[in-house]
Amino acid sequence: MCKSKITVLGVLIWLISSGPAFGKSYLFYLEAQGVGGYSTENDQAIYYSMNPMDVMQKPGVGFDYLQRFSGKTGDWGSFALQMRLAYNEAYRETGENQFRLQLYNAFFKYKAGFADLWIGHNRIAFGLASYLDSHALLLQPLAMYGYGYDRDWGVGASRDFDWGNVMVSCSTGSGMPLEFEGNYLVSARASYGVLTRDNYSVGFCATYGKPLETMGYERMMPDPIKTFLVGTDFTHFWNNMENRFEAAAGEKMGEDTYAFLWRVGVNFLDEDRLKAEAQPVYRKSGKDWLYELSGCLSYRVTSDITLRTMYTYDGEMNDNKVVFQIYWYYKLL
């Protein structure tokens, strides 16, 4: 086991064992998921939801840990650690690296009064992925299509106002792996509306730098590439309906690029246990417009177990893909 993995596990064991010193102010969840389906383009069974090299979604087991730090005046900080050991079909033919450790959250957040400051592996200030937690979902925002990152290594700040939120981040632009090859990414987002209070949020964001083109833990291009994107996102809840929209435009890999996504969902049954969603994604890569059409059904069997199935048509690959997922998320401590 490499030193970084030993360090992460050592920190986790120390934090849990130190629970009494922190007033047991922590949460510890176990998670597991089974993912499988069929692709007409591959004409075989698949064990991933998006791409065999990407991290979303694959069979695996893991945990989610959150530690709060408090003083006489209340909470002043928190530490989050979330990771999985996932089956990687990309290496199934070679028999190498069939299981890989996926690290999602690994950051420390400090409440400085004027803002919340964080350092580590966290969400950057761009698009829907800046506030929508998609680590367990089959449908993904534009970050998983190359417009931003689901998580990135760096530092950031966020402040809530009565009217909305402002956040900034400065990250490596490498995504899941931590790499330094002259790569960097500076992002900022301002939003109007408090989703939990107003049932809507409108955001405007921008990102600039020389990030690495990565997919999961794999580097797709040898050198950092200049990137400049501006974007907007919108989330609205009304009765049993949910609408999410996201768009981005700018320069990427030396060419103009555009992308937009719209996700509409309808909730059914008591406690919204059944959800039906549809999501078209359109993006311009080079001279070509690419599109992907998806539909998803989710059913929460219990508070710990969720079943999902997704159908996706990829216009670029002329691929029809059906994916099934069973997801287990259990509070242990």
Side-chain angles (χ1 to χ4, degrees):
M1 183 179 291
C2 66
K3 292 183 178 179
S4 60
K5 294 179 183 178
I6 294 175
T7 301
V8 169
L9 292 176
V11 170
L12 175 66
I13 293 171
W14 175 77
L15 286 169
I16 293 178
S17 64
S18 301
F22 297 128
K24 291 189 178 297
S25 54
Y26 60 83
L27 297 172
F28 187 77
Y29 293 86
L30 296 177
E31 69 166 357
Q33 65 174 323
V35 179
Y38 178 79
S39 165
T40 58
E41 196 267 335
N42 295 326
D43 192 22
Q44 65 179 15
I46 57 175
Y47 301 95
Y48 55 87
S49 62
M50 293 193 68
N51 187 289
M53 289 189 295
D54 225 327
V55 296
M56 306 294 187
Q57 297 289 337
K58 298 177 178 179
V61 294
F63 65 83
D64 188 5
Y65 177 79
L66 176 65
Q67 171 74 60
R68 297 195 313 271
F69 303 102
S70 304
K72 294 181 179 180
T73 58
D75 293 347
W76 57 266
S78 61
F79 172 76
L81 182 63
Q82 184 178 20
M83 62 173 59
R84 294 179 187 152
L85 184 64
Y87 174 70
N88 198 329
E89 188 180 354
Y91 302 97
R92 187 168 54 172
E93 294 181 359
T94 65
E96 298 177 357
N97 299 326
Q98 288 188 343
F99 292 90
R100 168 164 281 178
L101 193 64
Q102 298 177 352
L103 183 64
Y104 290 94
N105 294 327
F107 64 87
F108 173 75
K109 181 181 290 186
Y110 174 66
K111 294 181 177 294
F114 64 91
D116 291 345
L117 310 177
W118 64 264
I119 181 171
H121 197 233
N122 198 7
R123 307 175 193 176
I124 65 171
F126 191 81
L128 281 177
S130 64
Y131 63 96
L132 175 63
D133 189 359
S134 298
H135 87 276
L137 304 182
L138 295 181
L139 296 179
Q140 294 292 315
L142 288 181
M144 293 304 298
Y145 292 87
Y147 296 84
Y149 294 93
D150 181 72
R151 301 290 194 278
D152 200 11
W153 295 93
V155 297
S158 175
R159 178 167 179 174
D160 293 328
F161 298 91
D162 289 339
W163 48 265
N165 174 271
V166 173
M167 61 175 65
V168 295
S169 62
C170 182
S171 59
T172 60
S174 57
M176 301 299 286
L178 178 59
E179 299 190 24
F180 300 97
E181 299 288 346
N183 45 294
Y184 69 94
L185 194 64
V186 179
S187 310
R189 178 181 180 270
S191 66
Y192 180 80
V194 179
L195 193 58
T196 56
R197 182 194 66 197
D198 306 320
N199 290 326
Y200 72 86
S201 175
V202 176
F204 300 93
C205 52
T207 185
Y208 174 83
K210 292 184 177 181
L212 293 170
E213 188 72 12
T214 59
M215 181 173 288
Y217 285 90
E218 305 299 323
R219 187 187 296 192
M220 308 305 293
M221 303 290 288
D223 301 311
I225 300 174
K226 180 182 176 182
T227 297
F228 174 62
L229 298 171
V230 294
T232 184
D233 59 84
F234 173 68
T235 298
H236 180 246
F237 299 153
W238 180 71
N239 289 335
N240 65 329
M241 295 192 64
E242 300 179 4
N243 278 278
R244 303 183 191 272
F245 175 82
E246 184 177 16
E251 180 183 347
K252 190 172 181 289
M253 291 193 290
E255 298 179 313
D256 292 340
T257 186
Y258 309 91
F260 67 89
L261 168 155
W262 177 37
R263 185 186 306 175
V264 57
V266 183
N267 296 301
F268 301 97
L269 304 183
D270 294 339
E271 300 178 343
D272 298 336
R273 295 176 63 183
L274 177 65
K275 176 181 290 187
E277 296 175 287
Q279 175 174 289
V281 179
Y282 287 84
R283 54 194 175 93
K284 183 176 183 291
S285 178
K287 297 181 180 180
D288 300 323
W289 276 95
L290 310 176
Y291 70 95
E292 188 176 282
L293 305 175
S294 301
C296 183
L297 280 175
S298 303
Y299 179 67
R300 186 153 42 88
V301 181
T302 69
S303 59
D304 306 322
I305 299 175
T306 302
L307 303 178
R308 298 185 180 94
T309 181
M310 177 181 71
Y311 165 77
T312 295
Y313 176 72
D314 186 336
E316 178 186 13
M317 305 301 296
N318 192 26
D319 183 24
N320 293 274
K321 185 166 56 180
V322 179
V323 177
F324 301 93
Q325 179 200 43
I326 178 170
Y327 184 76
W328 178 68
Y329 190 70
Y330 176 74
K331 183 179 178 181
L332 183 64
L333 298 172

